[in-house]
Amino acid sequence: MFDVYEIRKDFPLIMRGYKGKRIVFLDNTASTQKPRQVIEKIKELYECCYANIHRGLYDLSLDISEQYEEAHKKVARFINARSWEEIIFVRNATEAINLVAYAWGLRNLRRGDEIVISIMEHHSNIVPWYLISQLTGAEIKVVDITDEGKLRYDMLEELITERTKIVSILHASNVLGTINDVERIAKIAHKNGALFLVDGAQSVPHLKVDVQKIDADFLAFSGHKMLGPPVGVLYGKKEILEEMSPFLGGGDMISDVVYKEGRFEITWNKLPWKFEAGTPAIVEGIALGTAVEYLERLGMDNVREHEVRLTKFAMELLEGLDRIRIYGPKRAEERVGVIAFSVEGARPEIIAMMLNEYGICVRSGMHCAHPLHRRLGIKDGTVRMSFYIYNTEEEIEYAYKALSEILRRV
């Protein structure tokens, strides 16, 4: 197990605070703080060795191109992909899902086909499929949850049929914290001939994720939620990516363009560059590799153990408060480090703003999961605390005491 107090020394904002006051950062589901190793890597790249990739034959370009490719290899190792060519850098998990929706879905879905998602999805895994369904005529089927916030696998078995072409479901909920059995979902999808996309935005930063073990066809996640800068990743099985057409067109994603007899003949570049059109986020991609190395040194099993302990501690404290209702699985072991709750008689944004007076950073609202909140009968949203490697039990106890004081005022 790692020493959380030593880890905290790597995070300048955590140690320094903000506007002269202590910061307790409990909005890690939205985005995490950055360690000095990542910050220094970004500074180093811009100061001493920046150039464009795959363009020049001079040392600067060759060296940074190698670093950029090496970052793909680090990410591939982190999720146990078969090849680094299966790793595509994009802007964020949202773009990764859109890439699959448009580059695969737009060309493979037809009227009569079905897309299966769940009611607990983030909008990033709803809206792209809605747009594609409008363009193709394919129908979206939605899997419900239990009252405890767990996926209804019985309903999933019924909805996934030979008409299902793709199943796109999150690994862990950004509201409920629920961890879905993605291996089980993959088996059901593949048994019916469907592809399986895993939204790993809330799992890859917190759990050991093995794409080969899951047998996911696609996995989308974001670097900014795992100590890195704003850059996203799409993993895809090589044989599927090779059959897909590009999502964006432009420079570097082609190997040749020929204009002959009044028409263009275009040959796509090899993977992964086929899906990385134009100048990519070079520095951000390399810095993500640094973030991955940081997490590997800690060990993802240790990251998971730390979060389970914090989540269990926080739930025990919050459950002792009157007027608080926590949503999601009752056992900390069944969820990632996310706790969404409501306060009877108080709007969530009021609670969040009052916690800010104590230097406590939480999120309030519908968390880009409007259908889920309505399914749970929540009109105004929830307050959400979420934990990561630098959070401590002392911080959680401080937040609990602050919330106790606030409840006496609202």
Side-chain angles (χ1 to χ4, degrees):
M1 196 62 189
F2 54 71
D3 184 340
V4 64
Y5 296 100
E6 286 299 313
I7 285 173
R8 289 170 67 84
K9 295 176 183 177
D10 287 335
F11 292 84
L13 182 60
I14 296 293
M15 297 302 293
R16 182 171 59 239
Y18 185 65
K19 292 186 175 180
K21 64 182 178 182
R22 171 188 185 182
I23 285 294
V24 176
F25 194 80
L26 301 179
D27 192 23
N28 296 288
T29 297
S31 202
T32 61
Q33 295 300 320
K34 316 307 173 194
R36 56 180 174 78
Q37 290 86 344
V38 170
I39 296 168
E40 288 168 2
K41 172 54 72 172
I42 292 171
K43 185 172 182 286
E44 171 197 326
L45 290 169
Y46 278 125
E47 282 188 346
C48 73
C49 44
Y50 181 79
N52 212 323
I53 61 167
H54 303 162
R55 303 290 201 274
L57 297 178
Y58 50 91
D59 287 346
L60 273 175
S61 179
L62 293 171
D63 290 347
I64 204 162
S65 296
E66 184 178 348
Q67 288 190 65
Y68 187 67
E69 292 178 13
E70 185 62 31
H72 287 69
K73 295 174 184 177
K74 291 174 184 177
V75 173
R77 182 182 67 235
F78 189 66
I79 61 171
N80 195 32
R82 292 173 299 173
S83 167
W84 70 274
E85 295 175 318
E86 298 178 315
I87 303 300
I88 300 161
F89 285 174
V90 289
R91 287 187 306 153
N92 42 46
T94 298
E95 184 175 310
I97 295 170
N98 273 271
L99 191 160
V100 177
Y102 283 91
W104 181 87
L106 191 59
R107 293 169 174 82
N108 288 280
L109 294 172
R110 302 288 182 271
R111 188 172 301 278
D113 293 339
E114 293 176 352
I115 304 159
V116 173
I117 62 174
S118 81
I119 196 68
M120 68 171 77
E121 301 305 320
H122 189 282
H123 293 163
S124 295
N125 202 28
I126 297 175
V127 178
W129 298 115
Y130 167 81
L131 293 171
I132 292 300
S133 72
Q134 296 295 296
L135 293 170
T136 64
E139 186 179 358
I140 299 175
K141 297 288 187 178
V142 181
V143 183
D144 199 8
I145 56 174
T146 67
D147 290 339
E148 194 183 347
K150 297 179 181 179
L151 196 68
R152 289 250 332 253
Y153 293 96
D154 59 330
M155 188 175 179
L156 186 79
E157 294 261 14
E158 293 174 5
L159 288 185
I160 298 178
T161 68
E162 68 278 357
R163 296 177 65 181
T164 306
K165 300 305 177 185
I166 190 161
V167 179
S168 190
I169 291 179
L170 52 75
H171 194 171
S173 170
N174 72 312
V175 178
L176 302 169
T178 307
I179 300 172
N180 290 323
D181 188 346
V182 287
E183 287 184 59
R184 181 178 178 182
I185 298 170
K187 288 175 182 175
I188 299 169
H190 293 152
K191 181 178 69 176
N192 288 278
L195 297 182
F196 181 36
L197 184 153
V198 179
D199 177 355
Q202 301 301 334
S203 62
V204 175
H206 308 280
L207 311 169
K208 183 181 286 186
V209 175
D210 184 331
V211 290
Q212 293 190 63
K213 187 170 183 285
I214 296 169
D215 197 19
D217 298 297
F218 301 104
L219 172 73
F221 58 99
S222 290
H224 71 93
K225 297 180 188 290
M226 50 187 288
L227 309 180
V231 63
V233 177
L234 174 68
Y235 156 82
K237 288 181 178 176
K238 188 174 181 180
E239 58 271 23
I240 300 174
L241 293 174
E242 286 179 334
E243 291 178 359
M244 287 165 54
S245 295
F247 176 41
L248 300 173
D252 207 31
M253 47 74 65
I254 54 91
S255 65
D256 196 14
V257 176
V258 176
Y259 184 69
K260 184 179 180 181
E261 298 178 356
R263 60 190 296 268
F264 286 104
E265 296 177 0
I266 301 176
T267 306
W268 310 132
N269 204 345
K270 64 182 181 179
L271 293 173
W273 318 128
K274 170 183 170 183
F275 293 101
E276 294 192 18
T279 298
I282 301 167
V283 171
E284 290 83 353
I286 295 171
L288 175 58
T290 303
V292 162
E293 289 179 320
Y294 189 99
L295 289 171
E296 284 180 326
R297 285 193 296 271
L298 296 182
M300 291 309 294
D301 288 337
N302 291 328
V303 171
R304 173 66 180 149
E305 183 182 340
H306 178 69
E307 285 190 26
V308 169
R309 188 173 67 252
L310 291 181
T311 306
K312 185 176 182 179
F313 181 63
M315 290 176 71
E316 289 172 351
L317 290 177
L318 293 176
E319 284 166 355
L321 292 174
D322 293 334
R323 301 164 56 198
I324 295 283
R325 180 180 177 185
I326 297 173
Y327 299 92
K330 293 179 173 59
R331 298 179 62 247
E333 292 80 5
E334 296 179 307
R335 57 199 296 162
V336 290
V338 178
I339 301 175
F341 63 91
S342 57
V343 178
E344 182 184 351
R347 292 183 63 87
E349 64 269 24
I350 298 300
I351 301 298
M353 287 189 290
M354 293 179 79
L355 284 169
N356 179 58
E357 295 173 7
Y358 296 82
I360 300 167
C361 307
V362 298
R363 184 61 62 98
S364 64
M366 304 283 256
H367 314 302
C368 293
H370 293 189
L372 173 60
H373 279 79
R374 294 193 174 100
R375 163 65 180 83
L376 296 169
I378 304 169
K379 294 181 180 180
D380 299 324
T382 53
V383 181
R384 186 183 68 191
M385 292 182 176
S386 51
F387 318 119
Y388 208 37
I389 58 173
Y390 36 68
N391 292 127
T392 66
E393 290 185 353
E394 287 82 359
E395 287 184 316
I396 291 170
E397 189 166 11
Y398 173 70
Y400 160 75
K401 290 178 179 177
L403 187 57
S404 299
E405 292 176 10
I406 289 169
L407 290 177
R408 291 194 288 269
R409 296 159 54 192
V410 297

